[in-house]
Amino acid sequence: MALTIDTNLAGKIISSNALEAFTNRLAPLQAFSTSFDSEAGQVGDRIEIPFVTKFGNSGTSTVSAFNVSSNDYSNAGAAEIESVTVSLGTHVKATWSLQDVQASQYAVAQLERFGNQKGNDLATKIFGDVSAKWIASNFTNTTVVGVASAFDLDALLTARAEVVGRGANPSDCSVLLASSHYNSLLGDTAFQADAYGGSEAIRLGVIPAIAGFQAVYECPSLPTTANLVGVITHPSALAVAFRYLAPSGSGGGAYSRTDRLTNDLGMTMGYRQFYQPETGIDFATIEAVYGCSVVNGDAAELLLSS
């Protein structure tokens, strides 16, 4: 028996696949200090995000010897948990329409591909906005790693030495690379299965971890201005917040469906759907409300081609 698809089922198929693509594309955000919450928020809300107060050699260590005579845990070298305020200043959306006859004619696979496209579109816009923070006025530490054709594991290790020299622990840091340099790294013989110990690079195009870094991400929307080709970042470099934008009390009844779509990490995307019976057209929107702030300008290394 053939599956009958109406606009409501089509919307569920599209939104589910949009969420999957959305969260996959935004995976590099895990490299930062984040507040992903499915609770409702509004544009302009201010979110407090805790972050690591010390990075490498910046600041004074809060480790001190215990004083037996005073038996005092509270005073010597006590540090507070710090936080940064991020304003939910940006609201972006992607909208589409679907006619009754289209919903009945489209195959599930076509709807899934469409959902993937829309989720990718929304995530690419968001990551582009976040990546705009990677400029010299925000982060002054840089390493020249060369053009893509010359980029390899040795070049990445040179940059690693720079951040380690400033007191960074690579296991706390992640690497974000432009597609050109990520592809070049994939081609390095160090990632052959017999040398690397796994076939992820050749089978999936994925570099799970290398040189002690927590993760390596391909970032197609990384800005290419000022010869930027990548970033080594500690979570305290940037803070990013997401919230679900709920319809207002007076407007919620206009929608046939409103959802907060979230994944295991808490990345949240909103979904709204409404129907025009006089035209037989269903309109739907996926959307996100978010904000981003620079936290510690010493907590990232900009990788430059020259």
Side-chain angles (χ1 to χ4, degrees):
M1 181 178 178
L3 175 65
T4 300
I5 299 178
D6 58 20
T7 53
N8 188 47
L9 177 57
K12 291 180 180 179
I13 294 172
I14 293 172
S15 61
S16 175
N17 283 271
L19 176 64
E20 182 178 359
F22 177 81
T23 54
N24 286 342
R25 177 55 63 91
L26 291 180
L29 296 185
Q30 298 174 69
F32 313 133
S33 297
T34 58
S35 176
F36 299 146
D37 198 316
S38 61
E39 291 302 312
Q42 296 294 323
V43 177
D45 282 358
R46 299 170 70 82
I47 309 298
E48 292 293 318
I49 302 179
F51 67 93
V52 177
T53 57
K54 306 297 179 188
F55 168 75
N57 298 332
S58 62
T60 303
S61 172
T62 57
V63 178
S64 59
F66 178 72
N67 190 323
V68 177
S69 61
S70 64
N71 194 30
D72 190 352
Y73 282 98
S74 61
N75 292 327
E80 296 180 353
I81 296 177
E82 294 187 23
S83 63
V84 62
T85 301
V86 175
S87 175
L88 299 178
T90 307
H91 176 204
V92 294
K93 68 178 183 67
T95 300
W96 64 89
S97 62
L98 192 65
Q99 298 177 1
D100 290 337
V101 66
Q102 289 176 315
S104 64
Q105 291 176 346
Y106 287 171
V108 171
Q110 292 174 306
L111 298 173
E112 290 174 342
R113 285 194 292 270
F114 184 79
N116 268 282
Q117 174 192 327
K118 290 302 176 184
N120 266 312
D121 290 347
L122 191 67
T124 297
K125 166 61 178 170
I126 294 170
F127 195 78
D129 289 346
V130 173
S131 296
K133 301 292 186 183
W134 300 120
I135 54 178
S137 58
N138 291 333
F139 303 97
T140 58
N141 300 316
T142 63
T143 297
V144 175
V145 295
V147 296
S149 60
F151 185 68
D152 56 12
L153 178 57
D154 287 340
L156 182 59
L157 291 176
T158 298
R160 181 187 188 276
E162 291 293 325
V163 297
V164 170
R166 289 198 303 278
N169 184 347
S171 66
D172 294 331
C173 300
S174 299
V175 181
L176 283 61
L177 292 174
S179 291
S180 58
H181 282 64
Y182 188 90
N183 290 335
S184 183
L185 195 59
L186 276 177
D188 193 307
T189 55
F191 293 103
Q192 292 178 357
D194 57 345
Y196 184 62
S199 58
E200 292 91 345
I202 192 65
R203 289 190 302 109
L204 305 174
V206 172
I207 305 173
I210 187 174
F213 289 116
Q214 189 175 83
V216 181
Y217 296 105
E218 180 180 10
C219 301
S221 52
L222 197 70
T224 56
T225 54
N227 300 320
L228 181 69
V229 296
V231 180
I232 297 176
T233 180
H234 183 271
S236 64
L238 291 178
V240 182
F242 274 77
R243 289 296 184 272
Y244 167 67
L245 182 64
S248 64
S250 59
Y255 298 101
S256 58
R257 179 182 165 213
T258 59
D259 279 343
R260 63 187 76 193
L261 307 174
T262 185
N263 69 346
D264 293 340
L265 297 174
M267 290 185 188
T268 302
M269 181 178 73
Y271 179 83
R272 304 177 186 223
Q273 182 177 330
F274 65 94
Y275 184 66
Q276 287 185 342
E278 66 274 14
T279 61
I281 298 177
D282 217 60
F283 290 88
T285 292
I286 53 174
E287 60 187 345
V289 174
Y290 60 96
C292 177
S293 294
V294 175
V295 181
N296 185 347
D298 190 45
E301 185 87 7
L302 303 185
L303 307 181
L304 309 179
S305 59
S306 62

